[in-house]
Amino acid sequence: MRKLCIALMAFGWMAAHAQDVPYPPDDIKAKWVGKKIFARASNGQLVDLTLDADGNATVAVGNLVDSGRWRLWEKGYCAKWQKIRAGQEACLTVVRRGSDIYVLNADGSVNAQVLRNPE
């Protein structure tokens, strides 16, 4: 019975992640750059993100406003903020789950869900 439970849990995890479809960097460039992206962070806070064509970026999360640099990455984009993560760059994977778009941290956890895709 224990093996069956473990197998079912593993199948559920694989099924949930099998639905992840990569959101190509070309789509980020074409559909996000120069537009305001509205999202909800994993902690529930609203996020306003702008990725500019020149590599500059701004983000507002709750009362925090930050600026930094961003670049495309093969699985999404990387960002280095002045305040967030103490200025350390993080590369985030962007995926589509059904009609929803998610930004994932390096460990696969949800960083944010895009609320309105500017397509």
Side-chain angles (χ1 to χ4, degrees):
M1 186 61 136
R2 183 170 184 253
K3 287 182 181 179
L4 177 62
C5 288
I6 290 171
L8 289 174
M9 287 178 8
F11 178 76
W13 181 87
M14 289 186 310
H17 291 281
Q19 297 173 349
D20 285 357
V21 176
Y23 193 80
D26 287 344
D27 283 357
I28 293 171
K29 185 177 182 180
K31 298 173 183 175
W32 290 18
V33 173
K35 300 176 178 113
K36 189 171 277 210
I37 307 301
F38 297 99
R40 182 172 310 278
S42 60
N43 65 5
Q45 290 185 312
L46 295 177
V47 178
D48 291 351
L49 172 69
T50 304
L51 305 174
D52 294 331
D54 64 3
N56 288 316
T58 57
V59 66
V61 183
N63 293 326
L64 173 71
V65 177
D66 204 353
S67 61
R69 302 281 300 162
W70 79 281
R71 62 183 175 86
L72 287 173
W73 175 55
E74 63 191 28
K75 296 181 181 181
Y77 68 95
C78 301
K80 182 177 181 178
W81 303 103
Q82 291 182 9
K83 300 173 191 171
I84 297 170
R85 290 183 297 276
Q88 296 296 312
E89 183 182 67
C91 292
L92 304 164
T93 300
V94 181
V95 297
R96 195 180 280 280
R97 291 181 182 166
S99 61
D100 296 324
I101 297 172
Y102 288 88
V103 178
L104 307 178
N105 295 309
D107 66 1
S109 63
V110 173
N111 180 289
Q113 178 184 4
V114 175
L115 298 176
R116 186 177 58 129
N117 190 16
E119 293 184 340

